[in-house]
Amino acid sequence: MSSVQFQQTINCPVVCAGVGVHSGERARIVMKPAKAGTGIRFRRTDISDRDNEIVARGDQVSEVQLGTTLRNEAGITVATVEHLLAACAGVGVDNLMIEIDGPEVPIMDGSSAVYCELLLSAGLREQSALRSRIRILEEIEVTDGVKVARLSPSDDNYLSIHAKIEFESRAIGTQQMSMRLSPGMFARDIAFARTFGFAKDVEKLQAMGLARGGSLDNAVVLDGDDIVNPEGLRTNDEFIRHKILDAIGDLMLAGAPIAGVYEARQPGHALNNKLVCALLDRPAAWCWETDEALATHAVTAAHL
């Protein structure tokens, strides 16, 4: 039965609080177990006069500038969801209710590490329903100038990732990485990678109402070719690892784990969301899949 994938939630609620990197507003979140088939949902507990529940799904994305914002039909939003969603995808949480009393998910240290630790400390509980996967059948590709992202078929049940970034700053340069999102891989190799930005952009972003909660405590800041953070980088390729982290969170908005290959050059939230939307718009290019046949075989064998 070990190869059969069942849906998972957490054993008990876990709590954290922090500031939003763009809004600068403090928020408290409570992550709670959810029944099979719920998916990942946010509930704005600071709002009671309208529908305050927001489904983490690609058609709910309203903004992709320097982060992913979700918006429901009542106009209620929750911003910067990608690091928390990446943690859910990375550790294998399918169903979760996330209560939040503010407009933006706390940035914490700029990575997914805290969210991974919280989910794992709560413990994962296997549920009776089989996990549904999105099996890629045909190549799906989107472009934006020189930026390219695609999904293509694979031979196993996991998401394989190949990503490449190129920046003029010598602190980043050209970085590329390939990985397979198998159990344990995300928490070990990706979750710690922090978001990054350039000092020259801070004033412009703040004038736009962004980066009001940003600091050296929750982002890697570059000044030309130099790293401003006194502690330096966590790994020399922390930048590409964070781009992969963001992609994992953004692809979670497809509505289920993806069995396929993700390849991207200069990936970002806008490009990733464009890819998710292209996927949802082409139902002939993928199919829903579970391990039903495998589970039935295992149960039959157990009774022989």
Side-chain angles (χ1 to χ4, degrees), residues 185-260:
M185 179 71 75
F186 182 85
R188 186 186 71 208
D189 295 339
I190 301 296
F192 64 82
R194 296 164 293 174
T195 191
F196 60 94
F198 292 87
K200 64 181 177 61
D201 296 330
V202 171
E203 286 188 12
K204 179 176 70 174
L205 291 173
Q206 290 180 339
M208 296 167 60
L210 302 171
R212 292 177 176 175
S215 72
L216 295 179
D217 293 327
N218 55 40
V220 176
V221 178
L222 299 100
D223 186 3
D225 296 326
D226 300 318
I227 305 293
V228 177
N229 304 61
E231 76 278 12
L233 298 174
R234 293 176 176 175
T235 60
N236 289 335
D237 61 353
E238 188 171 359
F239 304 102
I240 186 63
R241 290 176 190 262
H242 186 78
K243 286 293 188 179
I244 288 175
L245 183 158
D246 279 344
I248 291 169
D250 289 336
L251 292 176
M252 183 74 164
L253 294 169
I258 294 174

Side-chain angles (χ1 to χ4, degrees), residues 21 26 30 52 67 109 123 199 209 214 231 234 241 245 269 272 301:
V21 66
R26 188 169 180 82
V30 183
N52 62 0
D109 71 345
E231 76 278 12
R234 293 176 176 175
R241 290 176 190 262
L245 183 158
H269 298 299
N272 291 332

Side-chain angles (χ1 to χ4, degrees), residues 159-162 177-181 185-186 190 244 248:
L159 178 68
S160 293
I161 298 170
H162 310 283
M177 184 176 181
S178 297
M179 65 165 289
R180 180 170 169 266
L181 195 58
M185 179 71 75
F186 182 85
I190 301 296
I244 288 175
I248 291 169

Side-chain angles (χ1 to χ4, degrees), residues 21-22 42 63-70 78-89 104-107 110-112 115 186 195 242 244-253 269 272:
V21 66
H22 293 306
F42 292 86
E63 181 59 61
V64 288
Q65 185 178 37
L66 301 177
T68 299
T69 298
L70 302 174
V78 60
T80 319
V81 299
E82 60 272 8
H83 298 171
L84 177 47
L85 293 181
C88 292
E104 185 178 11
V105 174
I107 192 64
S111 75
S112 290
Y115 293 121
F186 182 85
T195 191
H242 186 78
I244 288 175
L245 183 158
D246 279 344
I248 291 169
D250 289 336
L251 292 176
M252 183 74 164
L253 294 169
H269 298 299
N272 291 332

